[in-house]
Structures are given as structure tokens and as C-alpha cells.
Amino acid sequence: MTTNTTHFGFKQVDSKDKVKLVRGVFDSVADSYDVMNDLMSVGIHRIWKRIAVQLSNVRKDETVLDLAGGTGDLTALFEKRVGKNGQVVLADINAQMLRTGRDRLIDKGLVGNVRYAQVNAECLPFEDNTFDCVCIGFGLRNVTDKDAALRSMYRVLKPGGRLIVLEFSHPTDKITEKVYDFYSFKLLPKIGKFVAKDEDSYRYLAESIRMHPKQDELKNMMVNAGFERCEYYNMTQGIVAIHRGYKI
């Protein structure tokens, strides 16, 4: 009898166990997630997120699904764009991350047009043609079945809707790649140990980035899921990429 396996960082694990293992990582880092994001990227993650929101072309009165929305950075940016008559759904598979994001947004006074949902991206519990935009920021690499998730995102988008995938990706030159590898595998786990008191989770995060599909591969996966006019934008020499596709 064969067992379906997938990667958890560089390890091979039973596919049905990956959700539980990823949940353990983010349960561990939820309270220090924002501080670590600022440290890991020297604050540049805020610029990446603003560019992703700009590329989404979200307008007033539209409806946005912020998948793997975590602590709510992207939701807060989308909320400003959709206005009081629009709506943003902050969604995450991890309850602790979702609670952290909800508390942050409530503290900011964002209570009128933001909803919350604990969901699995592979089987979204929303009706067909619900959202004008689906955005998944730094979350797709943690999904077990990425193809199923992309098909699910396509289904819940309205015709003319946009998918935005903001994700760590693969450097476009050898020098950046070598520096990035040194930082990811030598420095990042130590920063995680010192700040978040969790070296293993940040080692997993570095490994999960390396296992994520390369830019052109992810673009082809989006095409196979039904998206059209697919394109991507490399940022910071390909350390991060933003993919965009449309449901026509």
C-alpha cells in the first residue's frame, strides 16, 4: 500500500499530517510574527505588500478575500481601498494567527467591513463567483495541494476577478542566491531562536521557501487552474515574486 507524501521543509511527511505540522509552526510564532517579519526583511515586507495591493487593482465597493492573512497587514491595506461599502474577509487556516490578526484590526478600529473566517485554501467554503480579488500573501508555500488551492481560488472569484500571489521565491542571480542561502540557513534560525525562542520553526520557513515552485512553474500552475493573462513581477532580485492572474 502506497502512502501519499509531501514535503514539510526538506522532510517528506504523510500528506495528511502537513496541515497539523504547519499549524504547529504558526501556533509557535504567532505572537512574534510581526516583529520577526520586520527583522527578517529589514521592514521591506511592508513595501512588497503595498506593491501587491497596487497590482490587485482593487477599487471601492469591491469584495476581497485575504487568504493566509495572518496578522492582517494586507487586510488593513485592502480595507482602505474597498471603503465602507466594500468588504475584506481575513482568512487563515490557523486559529491562533487569525485571533492575532482580528485583535490587531479591532484595535485599529477596523470593524465595519472586515470579516473573519478559518478556512483551508484547498476547499474554500464560499459560493462560486463571490470575490473581486483573492490575495494569498506568504502562504501558498505552506499549502499541501497547491493545485487544488489554485482551483478553489479560481472558483470563488467573479468573472473579471484577480488572483494575487505574494510569495518568497527564487533569486534571479547567483550572487543574490549565495547571500540569501547564507542568511536563510545560518542567520535566520538564530534570529528566530533569539527573538521568537523558536529556532526550528524558522528553519522550516527557510526550507519551505526553497521547496516552493519557481516563478515560471507557479505561473504555469495558475494557467492550468484556469487563470488567464498570468504574469509575475520579481522584487528584490527574485527573493519575492508577485504573481497575478485573471478569471475571464
Side-chain angles (χ1 to χ4, degrees):
M1 180 177 177
T2 59
T3 302
N4 290 325
T5 61
T6 188
H7 59 82
F8 176 73
F10 290 161
K11 300 176 184 176
Q12 285 292 311
V13 299
D14 194 306
S15 295
K16 68 178 185 294
D17 292 333
K18 182 169 179 176
V19 169
K20 179 176 67 176
L21 292 168
V22 171
R23 182 186 301 124
V25 169
F26 286 95
D27 280 345
S28 175
V29 304
D31 290 339
S32 58
Y33 188 75
D34 292 321
V35 173
M36 281 297 297
N37 276 349
D38 282 327
L39 287 173
M40 286 189 299
S41 69
V42 200
I44 299 174
H45 74 98
R46 300 180 186 277
I47 297 173
W48 297 332
K49 289 171 181 174
R50 289 186 180 278
I51 294 172
V53 171
Q54 289 175 349
L55 289 171
S56 74
N57 296 322
V58 165
R59 300 179 293 275
K60 282 189 179 298
D61 303 336
E62 289 194 327
T63 303
V64 178
L65 175 61
D66 179 14
L67 267 179
T71 54
D73 282 354
L74 284 163
T75 291
L77 294 173
F78 281 123
E79 189 273 342
K80 293 178 182 178
R81 284 192 164 235
V82 302
K84 64 181 181 180
N85 294 321
Q87 187 174 84
V88 184
V89 177
L90 172 59
D92 204 292
I93 196 172
N94 183 276
Q96 183 59 43
M97 292 291 287
L98 195 59
R99 281 192 294 268
T100 302
R102 179 197 61 193
D103 291 347
R104 283 190 65 208
L105 294 175
I106 290 174
D107 288 345
K108 291 181 178 181
L110 306 182
V111 295
N113 57 354
V114 178
R115 292 171 51 212
Y116 305 91
Q118 186 175 0
V119 304
N120 185 333
E122 297 174 27
C123 47
L124 295 171
F126 305 106
E127 294 183 1
D128 296 0
N129 308 319
T130 297
F131 298 98
D132 297 288
C133 178
V134 174
C135 178
I136 180 165
F138 302 114
L140 186 61
R141 72 181 187 279
N142 297 311
V143 173
T144 303
D145 189 338
K146 295 175 180 61
D147 292 308
L150 290 169
R151 291 192 299 268
S152 189
M153 295 176 213
Y154 182 87
R155 181 185 63 78
V156 302
L157 274 171
K158 297 177 183 177
R162 293 83 65 196
L163 170 65
I164 297 291
V165 180
L166 169 65
E167 188 55 90
F168 291 111
S169 199
H170 297 266
T172 55
D173 65 85
K174 293 297 183 181
I175 294 176
T176 301
E177 184 178 24
K178 288 182 179 180
V179 173
Y180 190 42
D181 279 347
F182 176 78
Y183 170 76
S184 298
F185 294 109
K186 300 297 184 182
L187 298 183
L188 179 57
K190 300 304 180 185
I191 296 172
K193 181 179 181 180
F194 180 74
V195 176
K197 306 297 187 288
D198 188 343
E199 183 174 356
D200 290 341
S201 290
Y202 283 93
R203 182 175 293 108
Y204 158 74
L205 291 176
E207 293 175 356
S208 70
I209 292 167
R210 297 310 187 278
M211 297 301 292
H212 186 65
K214 292 186 177 181
Q215 288 90 322
D216 284 320
E217 183 183 355
L218 179 54
K219 178 183 174 181
N220 289 334
M221 291 169 66
M222 291 169 62
V223 171
N224 290 337
F227 290 97
E228 299 187 31
R229 294 167 54 194
C230 296
E231 56 191 339
Y232 61 84
Y233 302 85
N234 284 318
M235 296 185 293
T236 319
Q237 284 72 53
I239 289 174
V240 163
I242 300 173
H243 283 69
R244 180 172 63 183
Y246 293 81
K247 180 177 180 178
I248 305 300

